[in-house]
Amino acid sequence: RAHLRQGLPPQVVEMAHLTELDMECNILDHLIPQIGNLHLLTKLRISYNQLCELPRDMARLSCLTLLEAKYNNLTEFPESIADLPLETILLDSNFLQDLPASMARLGHLKVLSISNNTLRRVTAESFHGLKQVERMLLMRNELTVLPETLASMTSMRELDLSFNQIYQLPLGLPGLSSITALRLSFNELKMHHLVMDEMENLKELHLTSNRLSGIPHSFARLKKLQNFKVGGNDFFMEPQYHNLKTWEQVQTFLKRNLERLAGSAGAEQRSGNSLRDRRAAKKLP
């Protein structure tokens, strides 16, 4: 297969009626400014290249609803796309370190995936205007906290924050009552952070390999929970309960552990170095 090694070929930008453009799996190191001439473009796929930045002229792609730019060398969130009618942004496996305030202008956004980057910071303003987001995937980054403005994303259905270093959740997180899947495995959470009993539509909850000394009995209010993963924490748990996939299994687990959980609600017990060994493994691909 022949690979494009330079920028976007000039003849492509002369295709005035183009609505979808797929330039994936090449060796592109830049896009020419004239890409902004593709005024009818709705979908742009440029993953698996060597792009370090996106041109400012992309701001002229006034019909663009989907941007896939995974597996490139982007180090900054492209400011040029902040005022576009984007509904889906996929920037996985780049080198982004923070999410800027300009993201808040993406009022049409429904899917945001920035997994496997080096995110350390999310400004409070970043999430403020993202009220239409239904699916957000930020796993495999270096996040430790999230802004309280996360609670304003009231359309959220799926949130994946696995494989980070999160030790504190936003106080307003329980207000995301529409969420059905919440994945927080391989973080630094303790039991008193788990205030989720108001998430009445939650069906999937992953808490594997955190620092939990137990599980709040209030989780029994999560009547729709079907997939519950809590293995690899700091309390004894029989192997058959590590991945609870039905409400009946969850109820059985809670009943069997109610007495112990009530007594250890405020306790923090460590189990040697085994948890640290497991948590170190999370960085493996």
Side-chain angles (χ1 to χ4, degrees), residues 14-235:
E14 297 176 5
M15 302 175 183
H17 297 283
L18 204 63
T19 59
E20 297 189 25
L21 177 59
D22 189 332
M23 301 285 289
E24 292 186 341
C25 298
N26 283 289
I27 316 177
L28 296 174
D29 58 9
H30 71 280
L31 298 178
I32 59 177
Q34 289 85 350
I35 192 173
N37 296 339
L38 300 175
H39 300 298
L40 300 180
L41 198 65
T42 61
K43 298 179 181 179
L44 177 60
R45 296 182 172 92
I46 47 177
S47 298
Y48 299 95
N49 281 286
Q50 297 178 7
L51 299 170
C52 295
E53 61 180 359
L54 300 183
R56 294 180 180 179
D57 297 80
M58 284 188 59
R60 295 190 285 127
L61 300 178
S62 58
C63 294
L64 196 66
T65 59
L66 180 146
L67 173 62
E68 290 189 19
K70 301 181 291 185
Y71 290 92
N72 277 286
N73 297 320
L74 301 175
T75 57
E76 296 182 356
F77 188 89
E79 297 276 350
S80 57
I81 68 174
D83 293 306
L84 299 180
L86 284 162
E87 296 179 1
T88 300
I89 297 177
L90 308 179
L91 297 175
D92 308 297
S93 297
N94 279 279
F95 298 94
L96 305 182
Q97 295 187 15
D98 57 46
L99 299 182
S102 60
M103 277 188 56
R105 304 202 300 269
L106 293 163
H108 298 279
L109 194 61
K110 294 183 179 179
V111 178
L112 176 64
S113 185
I114 313 182
S115 64
N116 198 30
N117 278 263
T118 55
L119 288 179
R120 297 186 179 91
R121 186 177 69 94
V122 179
T123 66
E125 295 82 6
S126 301
F127 293 156
H128 189 67
L130 305 183
K131 299 185 183 301
Q132 301 301 317
V133 171
E134 298 176 359
R135 188 168 184 251
M136 185 162 71
L137 310 178
L138 300 179
M139 59 276 200
R140 295 188 181 275
N141 281 287
E142 299 176 18
L143 296 169
T144 56
V145 295
L146 292 165
E148 288 295 330
T149 47
L150 177 67
S152 68
M153 303 172 73
T154 52
S155 297
M156 188 79 71
R157 299 288 188 277
E158 178 183 354
L159 177 60
D160 197 330
L161 299 169
S162 303
F163 294 94
N164 277 280
Q165 301 167 24
I166 298 171
Y167 63 86
Q168 182 175 340
L169 295 173
L171 295 176
L173 185 68
L176 299 178
S177 58
S178 297
I179 199 165
T180 60
L182 179 59
R183 305 185 191 101
L184 297 167
S185 294
F186 292 93
N187 278 288
E188 303 287 336
L189 296 170
K190 298 182 181 180
M191 194 171 75
H192 64 273
H193 296 134
L194 303 182
V195 183
M196 302 172 187
D197 47 291
E198 295 179 19
M199 295 181 170
E200 56 186 22
N201 291 306
L202 203 58
K203 296 180 179 180
E204 181 178 338
L205 178 58
H206 294 184
L207 295 167
T208 301
S209 291
N210 275 273
R211 301 180 62 186
L212 307 179
S213 59
I215 300 174
H217 187 252
S218 58
F219 271 31
R221 301 173 190 168
L222 302 176
K223 300 297 184 182
K224 296 183 180 180
L225 198 60
Q226 298 174 0
N227 190 327
F228 186 32
K229 297 185 178 182
V230 286
N233 277 281
D234 291 358
F235 59 96

Side-chain angles (χ1 to χ4, degrees), residues 231-247:
N233 277 281
D234 291 358
F235 59 96
F236 175 75
M237 188 175 186
E238 296 169 345
Q240 66 266 33
Y241 291 117
H242 282 196
N243 300 303
L244 307 177
K245 296 184 178 180
T246 68
W247 174 239

